[in-house]
Amino acid sequence: MSEHGQLTQRIDELGRKISKLEGIDRDGTLATLTKELKAVQQKIDQNDEDIRADERRKTALETQISTERAEFERERKKLDESSPLRSIIEKSERIRSVIEALVPALFPLKVKELAASMTQVYKRLAHKDQVSRIVIGNDGTSQILGKSGKPITFDRSAGENQIFATALIAGLAKVSGINAPLVVDTPLGRLDSRHRHNILQFWTSDEARQVILLSQDKEIDEEFHRRITKHVSKTYLLEHTDVGDGVGRTSAREDSYFQEAAE
């Protein structure tokens, strides 16, 4: 096709497009679309303005919140300074939180320390040379291990159970770090003479520890009493008197013991 023909074809296409646009304009379609477009644009502009207004209100509220928070902190500080009790309570709460966090970590260490203290006391009191150490699990169960490192399985007598309990009490007293008096009821009950000597010597050997022994007359007899006399600060003899009808009365005789009372 020649250049003239191409131009003629292009002119015809443009003519058809112009006619089409003129037809749209004549039936009002173009005007309607233009009006709708303008309305949509106005709505978009209004939404943008609303968003900007909301942003301004948000900024104002954030500023107000910051101001109120600062005022609250100032007033709280004044209250704390004027109320020592509140400050003490808050410090106590912080200390409690620290303790709660430390207990799980310290518990296994204290269990090992208790086991070591029990082992030391148990070896002093018992006469079983095969005992190496006592171990305590985190669940509180305990085992006596032999020199091979294996648990020793034997039927403990009542006396051996008492020795184990004595080692536990002494271990707890040491681990706690509290220098409080220890009250031991029937300390030598169901023990043979060798164990009696060991336990009695243990309870009376530490001058810095106050121990109150509640003994029966046949338990710490005259011989054992003579051995510990130099370690005894005070004695009381408890005497029970029946006043009738199942009613009794107990009195304490100061600086007296069974043998002295019998003389």
Side-chain angles (χ1 to χ4, degrees), residues 188-203:
L188 306 182
R190 298 171 296 184
L191 294 176
D192 58 32
S193 59
R194 182 176 177 182
H195 281 141
R196 287 190 175 202
H197 173 74
N198 290 345
I199 286 188
L200 198 59
Q201 185 179 35
F202 172 76
W203 285 127

Side-chain angles (χ1 to χ4, degrees), residues 25-49:
D25 186 52
R26 282 194 299 270
D27 64 8
T29 302
L30 182 60
T32 301
L33 292 175
T34 302
K35 184 178 180 180
E36 291 178 356
L37 178 61
K38 185 177 180 180
V40 171
Q41 186 62 49
Q42 289 176 346
K43 190 172 183 180
I44 291 174
D45 293 341
Q46 182 61 46
N47 288 339
D48 289 341
E49 180 60 31

Side-chain angles (χ1 to χ4, degrees), residues 80 86 153:
D80 291 342
R86 179 182 293 273
T153 56

Side-chain angles (χ1 to χ4, degrees), residues 5 19 23 35 39 49 52 69-70 99 106-107 114 116 139 173 179 181 192 203 216-217 228 230 239 244:
S19 297
K35 184 178 180 180
E49 180 60 31
R52 287 191 292 270
R69 182 178 288 115
I99 292 174
L106 290 177
F107 181 76
L114 174 60
D139 59 352
N179 188 19
D192 58 32
W203 285 127
Q216 302 291 335
D217 56 345
I228 65 172
K230 63 179 181 179
E239 295 180 315

Side-chain angles (χ1 to χ4, degrees), residues 30-220:
L30 182 60
T32 301
L33 292 175
T34 302
K35 184 178 180 180
E36 291 178 356
L37 178 61
K38 185 177 180 180
V40 171
Q41 186 62 49
Q42 289 176 346
K43 190 172 183 180
I44 291 174
D45 293 341
Q46 182 61 46
N47 288 339
D48 289 341
E49 180 60 31
D50 292 342
I51 290 173
R52 287 191 292 270
D54 289 341
E55 289 292 336
R56 290 192 295 270
R57 285 194 294 271
K58 176 184 174 185
T59 302
L61 289 174
E62 288 176 345
T63 302
Q64 183 180 356
I65 290 172
S66 298
T67 302
E68 295 292 341
R69 182 178 288 115
E71 180 66 20
F72 170 78
E73 290 297 330
R74 285 193 296 270
E75 293 299 326
R76 188 180 67 84
K77 186 176 180 181
K78 291 180 182 179
L79 179 61
D80 291 342
E81 291 174 352
S82 63
S83 177
L85 180 59
R86 179 182 293 273
S87 178
I88 292 173
I89 292 174
E90 290 182 352
K91 289 179 181 178
S92 300
E93 286 297 321
R94 289 196 294 270
I95 293 173
R96 182 182 62 82
S97 299
V98 172
I99 292 174
E100 288 180 350
L102 288 177
V103 164
L106 290 177
F107 181 76
L109 299 178
K110 283 298 182 181
V111 167
K112 290 182 180 179
E113 186 179 351
L114 174 60
S117 298
M118 285 185 64
T119 300
Q120 184 180 10
V121 176
Y122 189 88
K123 286 184 175 181
R124 286 182 58 183
L125 301 181
H127 48 71
K128 284 184 168 58
D129 296 333
Q130 69 269 31
V131 173
S132 173
R133 61 192 177 98
I134 296 174
V135 294
I136 303 175
N138 290 335
D139 59 352
T141 57
S142 60
Q143 289 181 318
I144 299 178
L145 303 184
K147 294 182 178 180
S148 64
K150 296 180 180 180
I152 298 177
T153 56
F154 58 88
D155 294 331
R156 291 202 298 260
S157 64
E160 288 168 337
N161 284 332
Q162 187 167 347
I163 290 174
F164 189 87
T166 300
L168 174 60
I169 294 171
L172 288 171
K174 182 178 180 180
V175 170
S176 69
I178 300 175
N179 188 19
L182 293 176
V183 180
V184 185
D185 191 8
T186 57
L188 306 182
R190 298 171 296 184
L191 294 176
D192 58 32
S193 59
R194 182 176 177 182
H195 281 141
R196 287 190 175 202
H197 173 74
N198 290 345
I199 286 188
L200 198 59
Q201 185 179 35
F202 172 76
W203 285 127
T204 59
S205 60
D206 188 352
E207 299 290 344
R209 177 177 57 201
Q210 184 182 23
V211 181
I212 301 172
L213 301 177
L214 304 179
S215 169
Q216 302 291 335
D217 56 345
K218 301 298 183 182
E219 193 175 358
I220 300 180

